Amino acid sequence: MEKMLRRFIYLIFLLPVACIDPFEVGLETGEQLLTVEAVFTSQPGRQTVRLTRSDTYGSVFEGLIRPVRSATVIVRDDLGNVVFLEEDQDNRGTYVTTTDFATVPGRSYTLQIQTVEGKVYSSFPEKVQAVPEISNLSVQTTTVPVEGEINPRSGVQLVVDIQDPAAENNFYFWKNGPAVYVLETRPDLFTPRPSDANPSREPQPKDCCFTCYRSEQIDNSGIFIANDDNFNGLSTKIVAGFVEDDGLRFVNTYRVDLRQISISQDAYRFLRLVKQQTEISGSVFDPPPANIRGNLVNLEDPEEVVLGYFIAGAETVRRIYIDKNDLTFQQPKAIIPDDCRLVEGAQEDAPADWNP
């Protein structure tokens, strides 16, 4: 027994000094794929092209998506007109047109890109189809249960009424536009962070300001698209957008512009595949993962994978004011204990075109 105990103690002292050779994991270097994001429409304004490149896989997960800088970017139509885009110096990798650029229904547009490495990429031509007007824009409240939470997620769906033209096959794409809402805060509850100069932890109310108007640009929470296979030539209602209730947006009045964009059949197919991939839930009924190719190619190496799509379409916009009483369910009111003017995007005066 005493001999076994001595062996056990010997092993205990031996283990901490045992050496283990580090194992090097050999990984293949991943491709740095060019990604193009561009939606040009007939709504006059600065149209943008966003160029990024995925970084190679490494042990440090920083800079996985890098902007593509100093590229030459042009848009050419079928009449030979050429527009050069300038890089936004405050947002590198983003290239913008002039403020008055707009697509024209019936014309075709091609995006061309030349990187500083000399690689030249081009899209296939995208023909702009006319877009029907939005006859009416309404809202309906929706809730989504959250596991482990008492309150569900909620918000409003934006529902469009459109009269689809019967003479052609139409493809629709909707995006949320700029939004403004009445922001209510509680500066009377303001409590500064304790410091040497002001060690008090008691509330120190501010006189101003309780109500502001906050501007924001919210991205779609999903991809909203449709084709007219089931309603060609008919009037129909379609859910075309969603705005989440964060406890601030619908306390008073919320205004949002909804953009309705006509797109090509190929653009619709691309967005439908992206939508399917982003909505995969892990079920056996999910569609199999797909390699989604866009409409851009490397002119010297057509086998190179280029991600993204250049969309050219016509656009119509419809504005809606949403009153808090329009919702059948609201999130608990969020409290900001400070002057509303200090919130990003907020101002005390209403926008000049505010007209609920």
Side-chain angles (χ1 to χ4, degrees):
M1 179 70 181
E2 185 177 345
K3 182 182 288 187
M4 291 180 62
L5 182 59
R6 281 200 298 269
R7 289 180 179 177
F8 180 71
I9 294 174
Y10 174 77
L11 287 173
I12 290 177
F13 282 101
L14 182 63
L15 285 174
V17 297
C19 295
I20 300 176
D21 293 331
F23 178 71
E24 298 292 338
V25 179
L27 295 175
E28 294 183 3
T29 301
E31 294 182 84
Q32 296 181 325
L33 302 179
L34 176 67
T35 301
V36 181
E37 303 171 57
V39 179
F40 283 25
T41 75
S42 58
Q43 195 74 16
R46 285 192 183 275
Q47 319 277 347
T48 64
V49 176
R50 177 68 175 162
L51 302 181
T52 56
R53 194 178 290 278
S54 59
D55 210 342
T56 56
Y57 179 83
S59 59
V60 180
F61 294 90
E62 294 181 2
L64 288 177
I65 303 298
R66 300 177 299 159
V68 176
R69 303 179 178 182
S70 305
T72 300
V73 181
I74 66 172
V75 173
R76 185 191 308 272
D77 68 15
D78 54 349
L79 298 181
N81 299 312
V82 176
V83 175
F84 285 82
L85 282 72
E86 295 185 357
E87 186 172 9
D88 186 342
Q89 298 304 310
D90 296 326
N91 190 11
R92 302 305 298 267
T94 298
Y95 300 81
V96 298
T97 66
T98 56
T99 56
D100 58 349
F101 182 88
T103 61
V104 178
R107 298 267 182 89
S108 295
Y109 295 84
T110 302
L111 176 68
Q112 294 181 335
I113 303 162
Q114 182 172 349
T115 65
V116 291
E117 296 83 13
K119 294 184 177 181
V120 180
Y121 301 86
S122 178
S123 73
F124 296 108
E126 284 282 294
K127 186 173 182 179
V128 177
Q129 305 291 342
V131 61
E133 294 293 326
I134 299 175
S135 305
N136 186 52
L137 180 58
S138 58
V139 298
Q140 60 186 29
T141 307
T142 182
T143 60
V144 179
V146 179
E147 185 177 356
E149 298 289 339
I150 298 176
N151 281 333
R153 291 182 59 192
S154 66
V156 296
Q157 292 177 326
L158 305 176
V159 182
V160 296
D161 289 315
I162 56 174
Q163 177 62 53
D164 182 74
E168 57 191 10
N169 200 10
N170 298 96
F171 302 90
Y172 300 90
F173 178 35
W174 291 277
K175 293 174 67 70
N176 290 343
V180 181
Y181 65 92
V182 178
L183 173 67
E184 297 182 1
T185 65
R186 294 291 304 275
D188 57 315
L189 300 178
F190 175 72
T191 303
R193 185 187 299 273
S195 64
D196 294 339
N198 186 9
S200 174
R201 296 180 180 270
E202 296 297 321
Q204 300 178 24
K206 294 183 178 181
D207 295 331
C208 189
C209 289
F210 288 81
T211 303
C212 289
Y213 296 84
R214 188 184 189 187
S215 301
E216 65 175 359
Q217 174 64 62
I218 56 174
D219 295 327
N220 285 36
S221 59
I223 297 176
F224 294 89
I225 53 175
N227 65 48
D228 63 358
D229 287 350
N230 296 323
F231 55 86
N232 186 39
L234 302 175
S235 178
T236 189
K237 289 179 177 288
I238 303 174
V239 175
F242 175 77
V243 180
E244 184 167 2
D245 186 353
D246 63 354
L248 294 172
R249 295 188 176 108
F250 301 107
V251 169
N252 195 305
T253 304
Y254 188 90
R255 185 185 81 182
V256 63
D257 295 342
L258 183 68
R259 304 170 60 195
Q260 178 170 284
I261 304 169
S262 64
I263 58 177
S264 66
Q265 184 174 13
D266 288 337
Y268 172 79
R269 288 171 177 166
F270 172 83
L271 291 173
R272 185 184 61 187
L273 284 174
V274 175
K275 180 180 176 70
Q276 289 176 350
Q277 295 301 303
T278 57
E279 293 178 353
I280 286 178
S281 62
S283 166
V284 295
F285 300 104
D286 286 336
N291 183 13
I292 305 174
R293 298 292 294 265
N295 63 342
L296 290 108
V297 295
N298 183 331
L299 296 182
E300 297 179 354
D301 182 12
E303 297 302 316
E304 178 183 343
V305 176
V306 182
L307 303 179
Y309 202 99
F310 168 60
I311 294 176
E315 177 180 349
T316 185
V317 179
R318 184 77 179 228
R319 174 171 291 177
I320 186 173
Y321 288 86
I322 306 169
D323 186 81
K324 62 181 180 180
N325 295 321
D326 295 334
L327 279 67
T328 58
F329 178 87
Q330 286 182 268
Q331 292 293 328
K333 183 178 179 179
I335 302 297
I336 298 178
D338 207 342
D339 182 347
C340 65
R341 296 172 299 179
L342 300 180
V343 178
E344 183 180 3
Q347 62 182 35
E348 187 177 2
D349 297 329
D353 58 352
W354 183 263
N355 185 27

